[in-house]
Amino acid sequence: MGKKRALTVYRIRERVAGTLVSEFRQVLKEDALSNTDVYPWLEDGTLDDFSCKLFVARVAPTPPLWHEFLEAGFGRLQLPPGAFNSAVLVMRTRYYGKDRYFAATFGGGRHLLRPDSYERKFGLKVALNIMFEGDQDGQDLTADRVRKVNATSVSESTLLSTRQTNRGATFETFGVDTQSDLLGSVSGVPADGTTWGSMITGGDSVQASRTYSFSQLPGLCSDLARLERRKDYMQRFGWIDHVTHVEDPTVIQQLESALEKQLRTKKASTLRLSPPEIVEWESLDFHFSISAKKRYSDLLLSDYMAALGEDLKKLTLKRLKGHKVIATHKDTGDEAGSWTVFRCLDAELKLRGTPYLLVGGDFYEVSKGFLAKLDEFVSSLQKTSHKLPSSSEHEHEQDYNIRAAKGNSSYLLMDRRNIKVSSSTSAIEFCDLLSTDRHLIHVKRKLQSSTLSHLFAQGSVSADLWHMSEEFRLATRDKILEAEVEYGIPTGRFSKFSPGDSISPDQWTVVYAIVAKWNGEPLERRLPFFSKVNLRRHVEDLRRAGYQVAYACVEAH
């Protein structure tokens, strides 16, 4: 039978670089092909439904990378040269009348594969199918089968996280947000331990703890082809198909071409520029590396396109990634940050009817049904009954809040009166404006993803503490009393709302007020995609706690 070992297996796409895969060598990089030794299977032709070929990289023996460091202290070391060997075993199996290709990698073999040759997240779905195989209604198996999770959270920044338990647990134990997080890989206990062993891991590839002999490879490929077609994972994990990171180089190239075309033809209604990091808008000017002399108080795609002039017709992705957005401090002129124009682009694109997003330089595919439901949720939100004043384009947020409070006696200015409590590492702002009818109004300028993420979190965190923390309520009451005295407001007009013991959330409304150039467009059309995802999550959290939620579109003229 030969020696057994655990295997890491990738599923090869039906087409690579637009060509139907019919030869083993098609899945390897061009430079790898010229530097590998190829070995045919000794029993090639003996099976009708299975064949394979081995590709082994030629690597010259070299001393270890750490030898020079140690030789500085110990003199010349007698170390035998070694090599980091890499190999790819490409397998073809016949399943339901079609050829399906798989690749098992050894050492650094993954780096020999073409990046566009294998199915992304194939292993994730197969692993979930193995963990919950036969779980047709989401109740047939115990849920505590998950051991490790890798997830990516995309909002104002991209957060990569690995979470692991020392025993099987439910997926909810890992704190993954199914509305906004992207699941990268998962490890857990198979439903059929006899076939797959005690542990299965899946991301782009799949790896079982069970070991296999070479003679068992045809059966393994057939099992993987079968499990790839199953939908067991959808009972509990159907949400992983809502938003997926695009890693297929062919699709990326097509999206980049579509982006170039939209910009060159000025069909850019679904494109916008925004800094990929949180910035202090009021204190910054912006300019482009292609027109360093002209300064802008806002970061607008129309200004970039105007700065290009006739060169807009020749705009390429290479130039988008070469042109810079530079932020400078208004008072000193010193640089505060710089990013490529491409990284600052937020875009919603369509390719063959499928919606895609460009956020922070990365493309994401969105399921049509998920996007429709998300827009429906956002459009159903209630506008606040409060008539907040409009703003000027250059008005600072602090100045706007002061003016809004002065112009309406039903508002108390609470902006920048931060409160520190023992349960939080950071000071919390209760709200920007507190109204006599118990509205907590939070104000932010701009339709920038990072700014909006901060706004939505601010409202949610403040409301949670207002409800759950007596320490926060008492400290807030002191701040409200302080503001009443400072602004000559009769004591108790607002501070009466802040008892030390408890509050009833259903008597309070959290209001998100966004100052921007709305131009009459609705909230669901203007908010960036991940901001809509973020907003829905915070609104649902607030509603579960009993709060009402509303929004205001404040026009910036």
Side-chain angles (χ1 to χ4, degrees):
M1 288 221 15
K3 188 174 177 62
K4 291 187 174 184
R5 66 169 291 115
L7 297 172
T8 298
V9 182
Y10 293 82
R11 167 74 160 96
I12 301 302
R13 289 193 168 102
E14 290 188 10
R15 291 181 177 271
V16 175
T19 303
L20 187 70
V21 176
S22 59
E23 298 181 16
F24 297 111
R25 67 191 311 273
Q26 286 177 257
V27 307
L28 268 71
K29 296 176 181 175
E30 287 295 328
D31 58 347
L33 282 170
S34 62
N35 195 38
T36 55
D37 295 318
V38 184
Y39 296 85
W41 183 31
L42 295 177
E43 299 181 29
D44 198 19
T46 59
L47 296 177
D48 293 334
D49 57 357
F50 181 84
S51 59
C52 60
K53 191 166 285 187
L54 179 66
F55 299 83
V56 180
R58 291 191 291 268
V59 183
T62 57
L65 295 175
W66 39 263
H67 80 286
E68 290 184 352
F69 172 80
L70 293 177
E71 284 181 349
F74 297 95
R76 186 168 182 80
L77 301 175
Q78 298 301 315
L79 296 173
F84 182 64
N85 294 297
S86 301
V88 176
L89 173 62
V90 185
M91 301 170 284
R92 178 173 57 216
T93 189
R94 194 84 175 159
Y95 189 79
Y96 274 87
K98 290 182 65 176
D99 284 341
R100 286 175 166 78
Y101 286 80
F102 296 89
T105 58
F106 304 87
R110 178 175 66 87
H111 301 291
L112 302 178
L113 293 172
R114 290 179 56 121
D116 59 346
S117 68
Y118 54 89
E119 295 284 358
R120 305 291 175 167
K121 302 298 180 282
F122 153 77
L124 174 63
K125 293 181 181 179
V126 167
L128 290 172
N129 282 337
I130 290 172
M131 290 164 61
F132 297 98
E133 187 171 9
D135 191 25
Q136 295 301 318
D137 60 2
Q139 298 178 355
D140 294 343
L141 293 169
T142 58
D144 53 347
R145 313 185 71 78
V146 187
R147 289 286 183 89
K148 183 179 178 182
V149 166
N150 286 310
T152 302
S153 178
V154 182
S155 54
E156 68 270 23
S157 58
T158 300
L159 178 65
L160 308 176
S161 63
T162 298
R163 306 162 204 183
Q164 182 173 314
T165 64
N166 60 354
R167 60 177 62 87
T170 63
F171 184 78
E172 288 70 25
T173 302
F174 296 85
V176 175
D177 189 332
T178 60
Q179 292 189 30
S180 60
D181 289 354
L182 307 177
L183 189 59
S185 67
V186 65
S187 299
V189 180
D192 180 1
T194 302
T195 300
W196 299 104
S198 60
M199 187 69 60
I200 189 79
T201 296
D204 287 340
S205 63
V206 64
Q207 182 177 17
S209 61
R210 175 193 164 178
T211 56
Y212 294 84
S213 65
F214 199 93
S215 63
Q216 292 173 310
L217 291 180
L220 171 63
C221 289
S222 294
D223 285 341
L224 292 178
R226 173 181 61 83
L227 282 158
E228 178 188 18
R229 294 164 59 91
R230 293 186 66 96
K231 302 295 182 183
D232 303 76
Y233 78 92
M234 295 190 71
Q235 290 294 335
R236 300 175 191 255
F237 296 90
W239 56 271
I240 67 176
D241 295 327
H242 291 166
V243 183
T244 54
H245 188 246
V246 178
E247 298 182 38
D248 182 344
T250 302
V251 176
I252 291 173
Q253 186 176 28
Q254 293 170 341
L255 289 167
E256 290 172 344
S257 296
L259 180 67
E260 287 178 358
K261 184 177 179 180
Q262 284 196 30
L263 287 167
R264 285 198 297 261
T265 57
K266 299 184 179 180
K267 295 179 180 179
S269 61
T270 61
L271 313 181
R272 63 184 67 85
L273 283 181
S274 64
E277 303 169 10
I278 294 178
V279 298
E280 293 291 337
W281 284 94
E282 298 87 352
S283 63
L284 297 178
D285 282 328
F286 299 91
H287 68 273
F288 303 104
S289 57
I290 54 173
S291 58
K293 291 183 179 180
K294 192 160 186 180
R295 296 294 196 269
Y296 306 91
S297 60
D298 204 345
L299 186 54
L300 301 176
L301 182 60
S302 57
D303 290 330
Y304 171 66
M305 295 168 76
L308 284 167
E310 288 299 312
D311 286 342
L312 177 62
K313 298 175 183 177
K314 299 179 288 185
L315 185 63
T316 63
L317 187 78
K318 184 176 181 180
R319 292 184 178 182
L320 278 173
K321 292 183 176 181
H323 295 168
K324 292 288 187 69
V325 172
I326 298 102
T328 56
H329 292 288
K330 289 180 184 288
D331 52 355
T332 65
D334 295 337
E335 184 174 317
S338 68
W339 316 271
T340 66
V341 172
F342 181 72
R343 192 176 169 215
C344 291
L345 269 173
D346 285 342
E348 296 186 15
L349 306 165
K350 280 195 174 180
L351 194 63
R352 294 182 290 276
T354 300
Y356 291 87
L357 307 167
L358 173 63
V359 181
D362 290 316
F363 287 104
Y364 298 87
E365 181 181 345
V366 184
S367 73
K368 297 176 186 177
F370 178 69
L371 185 58
K373 288 183 179 179
L374 181 62
D375 284 343
E376 182 182 354
F377 178 90
V378 175
S379 66
S380 71
L381 297 177
Q382 296 296 311
K383 283 189 175 182
T384 181
S385 57
H386 284 264
K387 304 298 182 184
L388 291 166
S390 60
S391 176
S392 67
E393 181 183 353
H394 305 295
E395 186 175 28
H396 288 204
E397 182 184 309
Q398 183 180 11
D399 295 335
Y400 173 82
N401 290 333
I402 292 171
R403 183 166 60 83
K406 284 184 176 179
N408 192 327
S409 60
S410 65
Y411 295 152
L412 178 66
L413 181 65
M414 293 296 292
D415 185 20
R416 299 176 186 261
R417 294 184 184 273
N418 296 339
I419 299 160
K420 183 71 176 68
V421 292
S422 58
S423 59
S424 174
T425 58
S426 304
I428 308 297
E429 188 175 77
F430 180 48
C431 61
D432 291 304
L433 300 168
L434 172 62
S435 74
T436 52
D437 59 350
R438 295 186 174 89
H439 282 57
L440 305 176
I441 303 173
H442 299 268
V443 180
K444 276 288 179 287
R445 297 183 64 84
K446 309 295 182 185
L447 290 164
Q448 179 195 6
S449 292
S450 55
T451 300
L452 293 173
S453 295
H454 181 71
L455 170 68
F456 302 149
Q458 183 182 47
S460 186
V461 170
S462 166
D464 180 64
L465 288 169
W466 184 234
H467 180 207
M468 302 300 295
S469 171
E470 181 180 9
E471 179 188 5
F472 183 79
R473 288 192 296 272
L474 291 172
T476 300
R477 182 168 61 186
D478 291 340
K479 293 291 184 180
I480 295 174
L481 285 166
E482 179 184 283
E484 286 176 335
V485 172
E486 181 177 339
Y487 303 127
I489 297 172
T491 300
R493 186 174 186 190
F494 294 92
S495 53
K496 66 182 179 183
F497 297 143
S498 183
D501 49 3
S502 65
I503 61 106
S504 298
D506 59 355
Q507 297 178 7
W508 292 83
T509 301
V510 175
V511 179
Y512 292 120
I514 305 169
V515 184
K517 290 183 177 180
W518 291 96
N519 299 321
E521 292 187 279
L523 189 67
E524 67 272 16
R525 180 168 175 79
R526 293 301 307 279
L527 287 188
F529 171 78
F530 283 109
S531 294
K532 288 188 278 193
V533 172
N534 234 337
L535 175 60
R536 182 173 67 177
R537 177 167 59 87
H538 286 294
V539 168
E540 289 177 343
D541 287 346
L542 287 164
R543 286 176 174 173
R544 274 193 293 269
Y547 286 99
Q548 300 176 65
V549 184
Y551 73 94
C553 296
V554 178
E555 188 66 40
H557 299 295

